[in-house]
Amino acid sequence: MIIITGGAGFIGSAMLWELNRRGEENIIIVDDLGSTTTEKWRNLSGLRCADVIPKDIFPELLERGALEGISAIIHMGANSSTTETDADHLLTNNFGYSKKIASFCMAHHARLIYASSAATYGDGSNGYGDDIQSLDTLRPLNMYGYSKQLFDRWAFKNGILDHAAGLKFFNVYGPNEYHKGEMSSVVFKAFHQIREKGSIKLFQSHRPDYKDGEQVRDFIYVRDCTRIMAWLLDNHVTGLFNVGTGTARSFKELATATFSALEKQPVIDYIPMPETLRDKYQYYTCADMAKLRMAGFNEPFTLIEDGIREYVQEYLSSDNPYLDARKAH
């Protein structure tokens, strides 16, 4: 049995789709579905699983041995809002909850794959290398990033990472992110801006070494993320790994690719960046992927032009934009 926490969320439900694609259905989803207005539940509606358990009762079920035969826990569940202001909530929900799951996996010899975040790198001044020895040099810029950093450090110091795989996701986009609101990807927002207004708004640059729209990120298609996780399930590789493409692409290139997927000419409006963001804004992020490659993952990553085309044409433009086990190509 495989358990996916955060299994109704963006990456979690995409991983359920990936496992369904491989013919696996003995999977328990752990999550909080929240209000029906977000339609988060729809992420699960076309997929197959054995059970859905509320996240609040899951740790207690683990502690009393109510769930038997667990071979792996894919721990994607967290409050992923970089603007969350309740630090105690993030400490309990992201750090404390993760410690309980990791402790169970170590005691019961279950495979653990968990979500860390590129937010742990802060402003990037110490680089984007996933060398475990550099953990203590990182300085996250927000409490979300710090909650992930806390767990990475705890997992390292307690020997968890000798048996588990932690994943530092960079800028993920793709189907089933629709419930995320302001935390949804730039691609998702760009698609709707083009549909509604015919144009896209991007931030102006406030640094002389970057032109407007040429700030860059490492954008990765969610299906590349799930291929990496599936590979980690099949191969007992351990440690902390970046999950990006290793290639930095500009917001302007992303916007142009979205227009192209919609067969429209680019119309981009550059707007001033809010002053509250200017001191914290990252102009460059790019995952160093050498460690995962050296571990043996050698599949190519999806170019943003190809990923955005598929996302826009097969999902966002569809009457049913959700991942569906019946269409597991």
Side-chain angles (χ1 to χ4, degrees):
M1 179 189 294
I2 297 172
I3 291 175
I4 307 176
T5 72
F10 175 28
I11 300 176
S13 63
M15 188 58 192
L16 175 59
W17 175 88
E18 181 75 37
L19 292 172
N20 285 171
R21 191 176 71 84
R22 290 155 48 114
E24 298 184 47
E25 299 181 18
N26 189 19
I27 303 158
I28 290 179
I29 297 301
V30 176
D31 212 331
D32 177 1
L33 297 183
S35 170
T36 55
T37 58
T38 68
E39 296 201 318
K40 183 179 176 181
W41 64 269
R42 292 191 66 189
N43 285 346
L44 297 176
S45 60
L47 305 176
R48 295 189 286 268
C49 62
D51 203 354
V52 180
I53 297 175
K55 73 168 192 177
D56 290 343
I57 68 169
F58 178 59
E60 186 260 333
L61 293 176
L62 285 182
E63 287 173 15
R64 64 182 174 88
L67 302 170
E68 296 182 351
I70 299 171
S71 60
I73 297 181
I74 301 171
H75 180 38
M76 297 290 112
N79 181 335
S80 60
S81 173
T82 57
T83 57
E84 175 60 59
T85 57
D86 189 338
D88 289 323
H89 164 72
L90 289 169
L91 189 68
T92 301
N93 191 74
N94 292 5
F95 182 42
Y97 198 95
S98 298
K99 286 195 293 182
K100 292 178 182 177
I101 289 172
S103 297
F104 172 88
C105 287
M106 295 310 102
H108 294 82
H109 306 289
R111 179 69 160 138
L112 173 63
I113 298 170
Y114 76 88
S116 180
S117 172
T120 57
Y121 290 117
D123 63 6
S125 58
N126 290 305
Y128 296 98
D130 47 11
D131 177 12
I132 203 77
Q133 301 301 327
S134 66
L135 266 179
D136 287 339
T137 70
L138 303 181
R139 298 293 180 268
L141 295 176
N142 52 59
M143 182 60 202
Y144 163 70
Y146 181 56
S147 72
K148 292 294 189 178
Q149 169 79 338
L150 274 173
F151 183 71
D152 288 341
R153 290 166 66 179
W154 180 86
F156 173 53
K157 290 175 182 177
N158 287 276
I160 305 296
L161 285 173
D162 294 334
H163 306 279
L167 304 178
K168 293 196 173 199
F169 292 101
F170 276 67
N171 291 70
V172 186
Y173 67 94
N176 285 24
E177 63 167 315
Y178 319 124
H179 63 285
K180 292 177 66 68
E182 278 303 307
M183 300 310 298
S184 59
S185 74
V186 181
V187 181
F188 179 73
K189 293 175 182 176
F191 171 82
H192 288 285
Q193 285 183 31
I194 296 169
R195 276 288 182 89
E196 293 164 15
K197 300 177 182 178
S199 62
I200 289 177
K201 286 183 169 61
L202 296 178
F203 285 140
Q204 294 171 355
S205 172
H206 294 273
R207 281 176 46 174
D209 50 336
Y210 284 85
K211 295 179 181 179
D212 291 346
E214 295 192 358
Q215 306 94 320
V216 295
R217 295 284 184 275
D218 193 332
F219 299 103
I220 180 167
Y221 195 30
V222 70
R223 290 181 59 174
D224 288 342
C225 298
T226 62
R227 284 191 297 117
I228 290 171
M229 289 192 284
W231 179 82
L232 286 167
L233 276 178
D234 294 337
N235 299 273
H236 197 74
V237 173
T238 63
L240 198 55
F241 299 95
N242 284 334
V243 178
T245 65
T247 302
R249 301 293 298 271
S250 72
F251 284 101
K252 184 177 181 180
E253 288 176 308
L254 179 146
T256 301
T258 309
F259 276 105
S260 177
L262 286 165
E263 300 181 343
K264 295 179 181 292
Q265 290 299 311
V267 181
I268 303 173
D269 300 320
Y270 295 102
I271 61 173
M273 188 182 301
E275 290 193 17
T276 53
L277 283 181
R278 291 182 195 180
D279 291 340
K280 296 182 177 181
Y281 189 79
Q282 294 172 304
Y283 278 72
Y284 174 91
T285 68
C286 186
D288 181 343
M289 297 302 296
K291 189 174 170 184
L292 187 69
R293 291 303 196 193
M294 287 180 64
F297 184 82
N298 55 20
E299 295 183 34
F301 294 113
T302 307
L303 292 172
I304 62 168
E305 288 81 4
D306 297 331
I308 289 173
R309 184 183 307 110
E310 178 177 291
Y311 184 25
V312 166
Q313 295 181 357
E314 295 190 24
Y315 294 97
L316 291 176
S317 298
S318 169
D319 291 337
N320 178 13
Y322 294 89
L323 288 166
D324 194 312
R326 295 172 301 175
K327 299 183 287 186
H329 64 281

